[in-house]
Amino acid sequence: MIKNRIKVLRATKDWTQADLAAAVGISRQAVISIEKYKYTPSLALAFRIASAFNQSIEQVFIYEEELEKND
């Protein structure tokens, strides 16, 4: 799973979801989906989001391996 710090970073800039969406060229609904982990952005979009916050991609997005469940 790719987790992110978008909501926290938006708060530090006092940005709405619409503000971020406009800054990176996506819809507000896409921002909502990314924040709720329903959509994983493309690598290019992830870089645009990180750039909008003046952060490295690793500071915005965190990869966490999912453990396989053997029932």
Side-chain angles (χ1 to χ4, degrees):
M1 171 180 266
I2 306 290
K3 295 200 172 185
N4 67 71
R5 298 178 52 240
I6 293 173
K7 190 171 186 176
V8 172
L9 293 169
R10 279 194 309 99
T12 64
K13 286 190 165 269
D14 199 28
W15 280 3
T16 65
Q17 291 167 332
D19 293 332
L20 176 58
V24 298
I26 60 176
S27 69
R28 185 179 71 83
Q29 290 78 13
V31 172
I32 292 168
S33 293
I34 294 167
E35 285 184 356
K36 292 185 175 187
Y37 310 121
K38 293 181 179 182
Y39 170 70
T40 301
S42 68
L43 187 55
L45 177 54
F47 273 107
R48 289 199 318 265
I49 292 169
S51 179
F53 292 118
N54 295 315
Q55 302 279 317
S56 71
I57 198 165
E58 295 89 358
Q59 291 171 308
V60 179
F61 296 94
I62 302 98
Y63 174 72
E64 291 188 1
E65 289 189 43
E66 295 181 39
L67 299 175
E68 289 186 32
K69 293 181 182 178
N70 294 327
D71 292 296

